[in-house]
Amino acid sequence: MNRTHALVPLPQRVLLLGGAVTLLTVPAAGAAGAAAQPAPPKTPPPAACVSANGGFEQPGGLTSAGNLRTDIPAWHTTASDGAIEIWGPGNAGANGGEVAADSGRQFAELNGTQVSTLYQDVATNPRTILVWRIAHRARTTTSDQKDVVRVKIGTPGALTVQVPLGQSSGDIADGGISWGHYTGIYRVPRGQRVTRIAVESVSSAAGSPSYGNFLDSVEIFCTPPCPKATKHSPRACDTLGLPIQPHQPVTPGVRPGHPVTPPGVKPVTPPAVPGAKPATPPYAPGAKPATPPYAPDVKPVTPPYAPDLKPATQPHAPDVKPVTPVTPVQKPVAPPIVAGTPLTPPSHAKPATSAGQTRPAQAPEHFADGYLIAPPDTAVPLPRPAR
């Protein structure tokens, strides 16, 4: 085998020919004029956990029903003829009515010419969480007549039936009125670099081996492996085994989304609009704005010298009445009563009789039982009339 190499400078040999010195350069054998050829590029490994052609849109441009193809990218079938049936727009009549795809324009029927399983292999990283989704529908025209499929995942030689979230069984059953959507998770075990995702036809309500189980919107994606729990994070994954996203730290005292006024700087007050209420600044939610002095419907704060306050009363205030001196009322002094002097009874007193004789009426203040009361309570006989 002839191998070519890049030209390499070789040491010159000095030959003595007939006493003359001649410099000859001797190149390497087989290398004159040959160019170096680059090594063939290495094929990159497939991306981990990436499914392809999940909507059966390739090859595109397929219409009506019953397109049996053997060139569907990424998908394989267990059918003996290797044919996968694709439906496209304009399929009315094949099923009694037009069936629209769940996503895109095309979808597949698992039972092409016989009961079969569709599958594809994807590269996976061990100990990651694989999440799968599919859309399924029966090839019937009622909701009661249902087709059944199952999702199987594992190594190419050992597949395990998967149970969709929210179900207790792996059977996925749907009628022919609308698409059913299902999601599940699969934990990739240690050392598993290739994982097979398969959808198996279980039964068809039509009862024919070439009818039933429409399939569309198949997708998978993987999450990083669940980290080990620590004393600071005892729950690293949720109940499904998916890693819990850490909460973003919140800086105390700072409200995001609101401008903060630097200390010592007063906010700019917008120009006043007559009759309009001032707007609350965005950095003080819920606070009542101070009433500016130009608001016409707001009463200003009364200063100490406001005219509606009554001033303190001074001695010279005109509304204070002067004190009028009160002259005491003096009662007339009654003349002294002399004992033995007859008294004239008052005009309102009635004459009193005693033992057939008349005696003067008693004055309320000076008479008591015919005797004149004189201080100090000495009884004075009344004068008798002359006979």
Side-chain angles (χ1 to χ4, degrees):
M1 177 182 295
N2 293 329
R3 295 184 179 180
T4 59
H5 301 276
L7 296 177
V8 179
L10 299 178
Q12 296 179 347
R13 296 179 180 179
V14 178
L15 301 180
L16 299 178
L17 300 177
V21 180
T22 305
L23 298 179
L24 297 178
T25 301
V26 181
Q37 297 181 0
K42 294 182 180 180
T43 304
C49 199
V50 176
S51 60
N53 201 20
F56 302 95
E57 301 298 323
Q58 301 296 329
L62 303 180
T63 60
S64 69
N67 297 281
L68 297 175
R69 306 294 294 256
T70 58
D71 57 347
I72 307 300
W75 287 103
H76 306 276
T77 180
T78 59
S80 59
D81 56 1
I84 300 176
E85 184 174 350
I86 304 296
W87 286 41
N91 56 60
N95 194 48
E98 181 77 15
V99 179
D102 179 71
S103 61
R105 295 171 55 86
Q106 300 175 177
F107 58 93
E109 183 178 7
L110 267 65
N111 296 340
T113 59
Q114 54 189 281
V115 178
S116 61
T117 299
L118 294 181
Y119 66 92
Q120 63 174 279
D121 297 337
V122 298
T124 53
N125 292 325
R127 302 180 61 188
T128 57
I129 305 298
L130 184 150
V131 182
W132 57 267
R133 294 190 180 101
I134 69 167
H136 174 253
R137 180 172 176 167
R139 184 177 171 174
T140 60
T141 57
T142 65
S143 59
D144 297 333
Q145 296 176 329
K146 298 183 179 181
D147 294 352
V148 181
V149 297
R150 290 174 183 166
V151 174
K152 293 184 175 181
I153 302 179
T155 61
L159 299 179
T160 305
V161 177
Q162 302 298 303
V163 178
L165 298 177
Q167 293 191 182
S168 58
S169 170
D171 290 347
I172 297 175
D174 291 281
I177 301 300
S178 60
W179 290 90
H181 300 87
Y182 302 87
T183 301
I185 61 173
Y186 172 80
R187 294 174 176 84
V188 181
R190 294 176 180 268
Q192 185 169 308
R193 297 289 178 177
V194 177
T195 302
R196 174 167 294 183
I197 295 93
V199 183
E200 175 189 40
S201 175
V202 177
S203 63
S204 174
S208 173
S210 63
Y211 277 67
N213 300 121
F214 291 150
L215 183 64
D216 200 1
S217 304
V218 180
E219 59 176 335
I220 65 170
F221 63 92
C222 293
T223 65
C226 181
K228 295 182 179 180
T230 62
K231 63 178 181 179
H232 300 290
S233 178
R235 292 184 63 243
C237 296
D238 58 13
T239 56
L240 300 180
L242 302 178
I244 299 176
Q245 298 295 332
H247 296 285
Q248 297 295 331
V250 179
T251 304
V254 177
R255 296 182 179 180
H258 297 283
V260 180
T261 304
V265 178
K266 296 182 178 180
V268 179
T269 304
V273 179
K277 296 181 179 180
T280 304
Y283 53 83
K288 296 182 179 180
T291 305
Y294 52 80
D297 54 345
V298 179
K299 295 181 180 181
V301 180
T302 304
Y305 51 83
D308 55 348
L309 291 180
K310 295 182 180 181
T313 305
Q314 302 296 332
H316 57 274
D319 55 347
V320 178
K321 296 181 180 181
V323 179
T324 304
V326 180
T327 304
V329 180
Q330 298 181 357
K331 296 181 179 181
V333 180
I337 300 175
V338 180
T341 303
L343 301 176
T344 304
S347 59
H348 59 273
K350 294 182 179 181
T353 57
S354 177
Q357 60 181 356
T358 303
R359 64 178 180 178
Q362 298 179 359
E365 295 89 356
H366 307 290
F367 293 92
D369 296 332
Y371 292 91
L372 177 64
I373 301 302
D377 297 334
T378 302
V380 179
L382 296 176
R384 297 179 178 272
R387 296 183 178 178

